[in-house]
Amino acid sequence: MSRLRAAALTLGAAAALTLTATTAHAAPGDTQDVCNSQFTPSGWADVQWWNSYACGPGFNPNSRRIMQLTGYPIGTTVNVCSSALPPSGWVEVSAFYSSSCRYSVTPSFNNNSWQLKRIA
């Protein structure tokens, strides 16, 4: 294995551990930038997509910002991308298009976002 590849694997493992440690102690509304190859953790929602060479080559959006929703009081509403299911205790109030939530390279003005409301 080349030194460059070994370094890349080490950095990738460190980034994964950082995400786990960071998301475990996040407050409501905290955000974290992740590559699309990582799952959205429980209690979090996607709020923005973009393309980053740091997450690999290509034209499709491959990076996203996720936001911690756990801990918000009942009745809170937030706007999120519809690229992942809403966390438990949240329901969709409305759907709309947002340019921040384009998770495909193919242009479309179809609804790709939700307004969610905390009910439990």
Side-chain angles (χ1 to χ4, degrees):
M1 184 179 324
S2 73
R3 285 185 183 182
L4 181 59
R5 186 176 213 182
L9 289 174
T10 302
L11 287 174
L17 290 174
T18 300
L19 174 64
T20 303
T22 302
T23 59
H25 302 291
D30 282 356
T31 60
Q32 178 76 35
D33 294 344
V34 297
C35 293
N36 186 35
S37 59
Q38 296 174 299
F39 288 109
T40 302
S42 177
W44 291 72
D46 301 343
V47 293
Q48 184 179 7
W49 283 77
W50 68 93
N51 190 330
S52 171
Y53 189 73
C55 290
F59 296 104
N60 280 322
N62 61 2
S63 301
R64 56 198 161 89
R65 178 162 291 142
I66 58 175
M67 183 172 68
Q68 173 66 274
L69 298 183
T70 302
Y72 274 117
I74 292 175
T76 300
T77 58
V78 294
N79 293 332
V80 302
C81 301
S82 59
S83 50
L85 293 174
S88 179
W90 292 82
V91 295
E92 178 187 337
V93 175
S94 63
F96 58 95
Y97 172 80
S98 171
S99 60
S100 296
C101 292
R102 280 192 53 219
Y103 48 88
S104 172
V105 72
T106 308
S108 169
F109 292 108
N110 293 330
N111 292 341
N112 62 0
S113 302
W114 292 320
Q115 182 179 52
L116 300 180
K117 183 175 185 176
R118 174 114 193 252
I119 59 164

